[in-house]
Amino acid sequence: MATDIKDTAHTVEAAAVMSLLPARPRLLALGEPTHGQDALLDLRNELFRQLVEQEGYRTIALESDCMMGLVVDDHVTSGTGTLDEVMEHGISHGWGTSAANRELVRWMRAYNDGRPASEQLRFAGFDGPLEITGAASPRQALIALHGYLSARVDADLLPCTAGTLDRLLGTDERWTNPAAMMDPARSVGQSAEARELRLLADDLAALLDEQAPYLITATSRDDWDRARLYGRTATGLLRYHYWMADTSQARMTRLVGVRDQMMAHNLLAVAARGPALVHAHNGHLQRQKSTMRMGGMPLEWWSAGALVSAQLGEGYAFVATALGTIRHQGVDTPPPDTVEGLLYALPEDRCVIDAPRLATALSDERPAPRVSPWFGYSPLDPSHLADSDGIVFVKDVPRR
């Protein structure tokens, strides 16, 4: 058995990952089992550099606010803003403080300097403007979408004025109240104003599509793509707020499902631009349904990776990351009867594993699922092995 597993292990590099796949995917998704560990992000950066230099990849998409990501993309393509400003305002969830994320942005800007637009690297956030404690106001996306359209199409075609949107939106604090996550009655998502905004957002997004032949030629393709992002974000956020105000048993399942649906729509837009490396939690990128417990309730929904894989087929590839220890978080040597324990016995500090071959080699063994003592780390589900194209295994994650 050890020989079979060792035969599936390769050095972590782009060529080894590509050798596991039938063709170059439009989206190569690299998952991580925990957030905030720069050692894993350093590995991601290294892999992205190799994909750029060897495989022609030009975009990286991270699990970060899609609207904030425009700040990073402007910086890496045209030098807008200082690196400090971009890290503070361009990456969500507090991850702008990561040294590895900072190095990624710095390297992308340096790579792009002096290159024509067609050869430049691009950055995308593909998460919605969402946090665990709530969701952003739809104001930014709605006003930006309306502004793009009002500057380019006949005013008679618009379903409303900017003033109407402003009146219906009210203060942003109404939308971002953190109490609404636990108490649906505190959400404005099913108010009369929110219901009207959903109809107007839908009409604005539909008008964008109706006018596509003109708008694509009248403005730059980047401006058109951004307007479509505004439309997706506005309608997605209003849908998310609607379900925040729901009182049924389906509330939390719908919320996590809407979030991954927003992610999937953003990833499909990224894929349309060309080959991209995607980096997020394994649970968002896997092909199987995602599961979690929240408030004692089990939740199950289709991940962004499952949704995208269903549409792109071989154009989507998923490589999960598994790890041995995060000792500074109390995650010690994995039990030998788990997948992580079997991989921990290999001599390499990090390696790429052929996941389907490993699943076949372990078909009679049925490894036990690993149990994490720390809530911030999600062990590999052994039943998902065959549905991954590969596994990046990191033996020990040091404190940084």
Side-chain angles (χ1 to χ4, degrees), residues 81-164:
T82 66
L83 184 56
D84 285 343
E85 293 168 343
V86 169
M87 297 314 296
E88 182 178 356
H89 301 293
I91 297 179
S92 62
H93 307 320
W95 297 333
T97 59
S98 158
N101 282 336
R102 185 183 182 90
E103 172 57 21
L104 171 69
V105 175
R106 186 210 62 78
W107 177 79
M108 291 177 70
R109 175 63 201 137
Y111 182 95
N112 284 344
D113 193 24
R115 294 180 188 266
S118 61
E119 296 178 14
Q120 287 191 343
L121 306 181
R122 303 294 298 272
F123 179 96
F126 72 92
D127 201 353
L130 307 169
E131 295 282 355
I132 294 296
T133 55
S137 163
R139 173 182 299 278
Q140 182 186 4
L142 264 178
I143 296 298
L145 174 60
H146 187 277
Y148 174 88
L149 287 166
S150 63
R152 295 167 178 86
V153 303
D154 193 307
D156 291 341
L157 296 176
L158 295 168
C160 65
T161 66
T164 297

Side-chain angles (χ1 to χ4, degrees), residues 9-12 30-31 33 40 43 319-325 334 338-353 358 370 377 380 390-397:
H10 309 276
T11 302
V12 181
L30 175 65
L40 301 183
L43 188 153
V319 177
T321 295
L323 53 86
T325 73
T338 62
V339 173
E340 290 91 342
L342 292 166
L343 297 177
Y344 197 81
L346 296 175
E348 294 85 1
D349 289 332
R350 59 187 202 179
C351 57
V352 175
I353 305 292
L358 179 60
R370 187 181 188 184
Y377 159 62
L380 198 68
I391 298 170
V392 169
F393 182 72
V394 177
K395 183 172 282 189
D396 300 293
V397 178

Side-chain angles (χ1 to χ4, degrees), residues 50 125 138 166 183 235 269 288 308 343:
Q50 293 175 12
D166 187 62
D183 181 3
T235 55
Q288 293 282 348
V308 171
L343 297 177

Side-chain angles (χ1 to χ4, degrees), residues 278-356:
V278 179
H279 191 249
H281 197 280
N282 287 331
H284 289 304
L285 300 179
Q286 65 191 29
R287 291 188 175 95
Q288 293 282 348
K289 275 190 169 181
S290 296
T291 59
M292 68 181 294
R293 295 188 71 85
M294 186 169 288
M297 180 190 306
L299 305 179
E300 186 176 278
W301 72 100
W302 287 111
S303 71
L307 296 172
V308 171
S309 181
Q311 294 207 42
L312 294 186
E314 289 185 353
Y316 180 79
F318 170 52
V319 177
T321 295
L323 53 86
T325 73
I326 322 175
R327 297 193 193 278
H328 55 280
Q329 295 291 0
V331 181
D332 292 320
T333 305
D337 61 343
T338 62
V339 173
E340 290 91 342
L342 292 166
L343 297 177
Y344 197 81
L346 296 175
E348 294 85 1
D349 289 332
R350 59 187 202 179
C351 57
V352 175
I353 305 292
D354 184 327

